[in-house]
Amino acid sequence: MSADDRRQPVSDEELSAFADGQLPPADCARVAAHLRANPQDADRIHSYWRREAELHSAFAVAADDTAPEPVAPVRRPAFPLVYAAAALVLLAVFAAPWLLPVDGGGAKPLPAHGAGPLKQQVISSHAGLDLLPGAELQPRGELLPGGEVQPGGELQPGKELQPGGELQPGQLPAVAAGVTEYRFHDASGTVLVLYEGAPGAGAYPSLKSGAARVEWSAGQRDFMLEGTPGAADLMSLAVGLQERLAPSPAVDQRMGDSPVPSPALQLRQEEVSPAGVSKM
Amino acid sequence: MKFEQKICEQIPHLRRYALSLCADPLAAEDLVQDCLERALNKRHLWRTDGVIRSWLFRMLYRIYLNHCSSASARREVAVPDAGEDFSVEAVHDPHLQCRDAISAISILPPEQRAALMLMVLESPSYEEAARMLDINIGTLRSRLSRAREAVRSHCERASRGEGETRLRRVK
C-alpha cells in the first residue's frame, strides 16, 4: 500500500465495516493506519463494540426470560419433562394399532412389554393416577379394567381408580363424539391438551380464552394441540408430535391398508382461522 | 436433518431477533409464530441447498416490515411503551448500563434497527445479512453506519444528561 492510499479519507461506512471485520484486506490496512493517526475514531469503534456487546447480552437475557422454555438448549433436554412425557404417552397410544398383528383381533390387550410400565410411570407422575395391576394397553389406546379412560375423559390430579372401578360418566367433561382428548399437566401449571378426531368431527373445546392452538391433519385424522406454553413452543412440540405419531412405511405395508398420507406437515384445509390458531 | 428439525433449531434465534425488533415480548412471540407458520406453509419454496437461517430471517424481517407498515397505515402505535419492558430493578447493574443502548435502538427507523440488531445478534457476513434483509451490500453498510452513529450519539447525550430538549440561543 502506497502513501497515497494511506492518505485516502476513511468514511463512516468503512469504519463500521471495519468494526464488523468485513473490509477487504487492503482497505482494512488503510483503515488501521487511519485509526493509528486518529485515536478519536478508534474510540468510536470501541464505543460501537461496547454498546453492541451490551445489546447482545440484554437481548439474550430478555429472550431467555420471555421464552416459556428453551427449545433447543445446548446441554439440556429439548423439552421440559411434561413435554417429553406427553410425547411418549401419545407415541405409545397411537403406535399401538400399528404394532398389533393384523389378525390379532381388536379387543385383545397388548402383552405387557415396555410400553406398560412406561405408560404407568408417565400417567402416575403427571396425572396423579395410580395405574393398578391389571390395566393393559388396548389396541385403540384405552386403559381398561383397573383404570378406564374413555374418549373425552380428563384425568384429574389426585383422582385414584380402584381395581375394577370405572370413572363415572358424570366425572368426564363432554367432548364432541368421535373426539379423543389427552390432557397433561404438571406441578408448575403447564397444561397441554391434544384432541384427536375424525375429519369434521366438530369444534374442539377451548382450554382457555386466548390460549395458543396448533391444528394439523395426519393419517386421515385431525389433531389439535392447545396449551399454556408460548405459541412458538407449542408449534415446536406439535412438529415433534406429528413426526412421532406418523406411522412408518413398513408398518403401513404390514397393515395392508391404503397408504397413510405423508407425515410431512400439511395444511388441513384453507379457511380463515381465529386469532391465535395456527395450522400446519 | 429434517426440515422441521432445522426450523426448530432456529426458533431461539428467531425469538431473540424478533424481541430486538418489537421490544414487546407478546408482539415478538406473534412475529415468530407468523414466521414459523409461513415457513411451514411455504416449505416447498425452500431450496434444500440453501441456508435455512437466511430463509427464515428474511421471512421474519418481511413480516416485521409488513406489520410496521400496516400499523403506520392505521396510525396506530404497535408498542406504546417500547423499551419499557426492559426497565429492571436498580440492583441489576448490567441492565441499567445497557438501558441507554436499548432506548437508542427503539428510536431507530425499522430498517436500520433490523440491520444493526441482525449483526449484533447473529454476526452474519455482509453477504448473508444482505440476503436476509433483501438489500444490496452497499445499502446494508450505509444502514449499519447510520444506525451505529445514531446509537452512539444518543448514548453520549444520555450519559451527559441531555435527554430533554433545551432552548439554545441562536442570536
Side-chain angles (χ1 to χ4, degrees), chain A residues 11-14 16-17 19-20 22-24 44 47-48 51-52 54-56 58-63 66-69 71-72 213 230-233 235-236 239 243 264-265 267 276-280, chain B residues 2 4-5 8-9 11-12 15-16 19-20 25 29 32-33 36-37 40-41 43 86 95 97-98 100-102 105 116-117 119-121 124-127 138 141-142 144-145 148-149 151-152 155-156:
Chain A
S11 66
D12 287 347
E13 291 181 15
E14 284 176 316
S16 173
D20 285 326
Q22 298 283 334
L23 274 182
R44 232 165 87 185
S47 170
Y48 293 162
R51 300 295 178 197
E52 289 167 18
E54 292 167 359
L55 286 172
H56 186 278
F59 281 104
V61 170
T66 56
E69 283 294 333
V71 175
R213 283 183 167 201
D233 279 341
M235 182 165 288
S236 173
V239 168
E243 285 181 350
L265 296 174
L267 272 177
V277 177
S278 302
K279 291 180 179 177
M280 299 191 300
Chain B
K2 286 188 176 181
E4 291 85 0
Q5 288 174 317
C8 288
E9 282 186 353
I11 289 177
R15 176 181 284 135
R16 191 172 60 175
L19 188 61
S20 73
E29 193 71 20
V32 173
Q33 185 187 3
L36 295 175
E37 187 174 348
L40 291 170
N41 286 337
R43 59 177 297 164
F86 294 96
H95 291 269
Q97 287 171 3
C98 66
D100 292 341
I102 290 174
I105 64 163
L116 180 62
M117 293 314 299
M119 293 304 298
V120 167
L121 296 176
S125 67
Y126 274 8
E127 189 180 355
R141 285 174 53 153
S142 172
L144 282 174
S145 172
R148 282 181 167 132
E149 273 306 296
V151 169
R152 188 178 69 92
C155 291
E156 286 183 355

Side-chain angles (χ1 to χ4, degrees), chain B residues 157-158 160-170:
Chain B
R157 280 200 307 272
R160 290 197 301 263
E162 297 176 1
E164 59 277 333
T165 306
R166 293 177 179 178
L167 293 178
R168 182 168 60 94
R169 183 174 182 173
V170 294

Side-chain angles (χ1 to χ4, degrees), chain A residues 157-255:
Chain A
K159 184 173 291 181
E160 185 169 333
L161 296 180
Q162 297 302 321
E166 291 184 358
L167 289 175
Q168 296 301 316
Q171 295 177 275
L172 304 175
V175 180
V179 177
T180 308
E181 177 188 280
Y182 302 92
R183 186 175 288 238
F184 309 91
H185 37 123
D186 66 1
S188 67
T190 304
V191 178
L192 286 172
V193 183
L194 179 81
Y195 295 102
E196 181 237 348
Y204 300 116
S206 180
L207 181 64
K208 69 172 186 177
S209 177
R213 283 183 167 201
V214 182
E215 297 177 1
W216 75 94
S217 297
Q220 299 180 354
R221 303 290 287 173
D222 283 355
F223 296 90
M224 196 281 282
L225 181 66
E226 189 178 45
T228 52
D233 279 341
L234 205 64
M235 182 165 288
S236 173
L237 174 63
V239 168
L241 284 177
Q242 201 270 353
E243 285 181 350
R244 288 174 182 239
L245 296 179
S248 67
V251 172
D252 298 340
Q253 198 172 11
R254 195 186 60 175
M255 291 288 288

Side-chain angles (χ1 to χ4, degrees), chain B residues 70-108:
Chain B
S70 61
S72 69
R74 292 194 305 265
R75 294 182 179 278
E76 291 176 1
V77 179
V79 187
D81 52 354
E84 290 300 315
D85 291 333
F86 294 96
S87 61
V88 294
E89 293 80 7
V91 294
H92 294 162
D93 288 338
H95 291 269
L96 283 179
Q97 287 171 3
C98 66
R99 192 173 173 181
D100 292 341
I102 290 174
S103 65
I105 64 163
S106 69
I107 62 170
L108 290 176

